[in-house]
Amino acid sequence: MTALPMLPPGLELRPPWPDEIPRLKTIFKATGPIGAFRPLVLVAKEPERLVGGVLILEPDSPSGIVSCLLSVRPAWRGGAAHEALLDAAGALTRELGAHTIAFSFTGESPDVPWLESRGARIFQEDVFYEGNVLTFRERISPLLRRAREHAERFVVRPLREDDHAPVSSMVAAHGLMDEERARARLSRRYDPRLCMVCTEQDRIVGAILTISADNGRFYIENRVVAPDYMASSSSINLRLLDAISMVGQAAGFTSFRFSCQPGKDRETVNFARRCGCRAIRRQIRVHLRLTPA
């Protein structure tokens, strides 16, 4: 049984009642079921109202890291109630046999510096970009012409089912996901019309993996180059992006989205700006390693 933290007077921390689940989902802006989470709510008693809540996601692998959603109303942020929710998240995490809590924030959240002051660190930062397909194709043309002068050996074609194994290995080599998960996504998640591979003499040296939406937009989830071809990554990526934008335009898509880690991938950030893409969202993942109980 989880030992819950000491609370300020007038507050109660407990599992939510069934009729509180809709309000808890509103706090976290969640649309799906909360069954995969261990939820707790922080309640002010007089008058009774939800002050905040915490959701710990049941881990699907023994990584030692659990994902957490934690929210507290602005009037209570940074105080004892906020500390109590963080302590509760730590207690739940230890109960699951994990040692690190992972938080995810969109935009400039005041919770990030608050968590950093308690020993957390920014583990990953992603910026999401959106581009217009027609504008992108216009701006990529001169870059592509220069790349072709030095890279005629590369050929781009649609992804085939027998490509799944080598592409999964390439994705895993970059640490984006393990091979098993990559194969599952290749089979069920990605849009085969919008997935391409780049080859040299029948060897796959790069791939672009895409998800389509019903609003005229597609999302480039992964764009990878074989580790021993990184010296040619610019040419390979240009060819893949050219092919995917051409196919997307022919299929009626008008815009696309992708993300990158600006601290690690300045080339993609600069490329996005040159091709008329705009930053639409910033997402920060923060890790808090727990001290031994």
Side-chain angles (χ1 to χ4, degrees):
M1 180 69 181
T2 301
L4 297 180
M6 295 294 293
L7 294 171
L11 293 178
E12 179 185 10
L13 184 63
R14 56 169 171 73
W17 298 113
D19 64 347
E20 290 173 328
I21 295 294
R23 283 187 285 166
L24 186 62
K25 292 173 72 172
T26 298
I27 290 175
F28 290 108
K29 300 179 175 61
T31 57
I34 297 185
F37 289 87
R38 292 196 181 191
L40 290 172
V41 291
L42 187 62
V43 181
K45 296 179 180 179
E46 296 180 4
E48 186 173 88
R49 62 198 184 282
L50 286 183
V51 169
V54 62
L55 303 176
I56 291 288
L57 178 63
E58 295 273 8
D60 56 8
S61 62
S63 66
I65 302 172
V66 297
S67 295
C68 174
L69 298 176
L70 187 152
S71 179
V72 63
R73 296 195 182 278
W76 303 83
R77 179 175 280 122
H82 206 170
E83 294 281 0
L85 284 171
L86 185 60
D87 288 345
L92 288 170
T93 298
R94 289 189 177 95
E95 186 178 277
L96 292 169
H99 54 68
T100 299
I101 315 174
F103 302 90
S104 185
F105 301 97
T106 298
E108 300 293 336
S109 170
D111 285 344
V112 173
W114 183 80
L115 286 167
E116 287 182 301
S117 71
R118 279 144 186 82
R121 63 183 181 88
I122 294 178
F123 176 75
Q124 183 173 318
E125 178 186 358
D126 293 283
V127 176
F128 291 78
Y129 291 91
E130 181 169 287
N132 176 273
V133 173
L134 182 59
T135 301
F136 180 82
R137 289 197 55 74
E138 290 174 349
R139 297 195 182 185
I140 200 176
S141 294
L143 300 174
L144 189 64
R145 283 196 297 270
R146 289 196 292 271
R148 279 177 175 156
E149 295 173 2
H150 305 287
E152 289 297 338
R153 68 186 193 274
F154 296 129
V155 175
V156 174
R157 61 166 173 78
L159 177 81
R160 301 191 303 244
E161 189 172 350
D162 59 348
D163 298 327
H164 288 192
V167 170
S168 297
S169 296
M170 194 183 308
V171 169
H174 284 272
L176 300 172
M177 63 185 86
D178 60 35
E179 289 194 41
E180 183 179 358
R181 183 183 173 204
R183 287 198 188 204
R185 291 181 77 80
L186 283 164
S187 299
R188 300 191 294 268
R189 176 66 168 161
Y190 298 119
D191 187 332
R193 301 172 301 164
L194 298 171
C195 293
M196 300 283 170
V197 295
C198 183
T199 65
E200 183 187 38
Q201 297 180 350
D202 294 328
R203 180 192 173 184
I204 295 176
V205 299
I208 190 165
L209 307 175
T210 305
I211 301 167
S212 61
D214 58 3
N215 54 2
R217 178 190 301 126
F218 61 88
Y219 174 60
I220 301 171
E221 184 176 81
N222 283 308
R223 179 171 46 85
V224 291
V225 173
D228 51 343
Y229 276 77
M230 292 305 294
S232 301
S233 64
S234 179
S235 295
I236 292 170
N237 280 320
L238 278 170
R239 286 174 173 272
L240 287 167
L241 288 164
D242 175 61
I244 207 72
S245 61
M246 181 171 60
V247 171
Q249 186 178 24
F253 291 93
T254 58
S255 63
F256 63 98
R257 288 183 176 180
F258 63 97
S259 65
C260 73
Q261 296 179 42
K264 296 181 179 179
D265 198 355
R266 296 303 306 173
E267 179 183 338
T268 299
V269 173
N270 294 333
F271 180 79
R273 291 170 179 164
R274 292 177 68 180
C275 292
C277 303
R278 62 185 182 92
I280 57 171
R281 182 162 57 94
R282 177 173 175 249
Q283 189 160 335
I284 300 172
R285 187 172 174 87
V286 176
H287 281 187
L288 175 63
R289 188 174 180 91
L290 301 174
T291 57

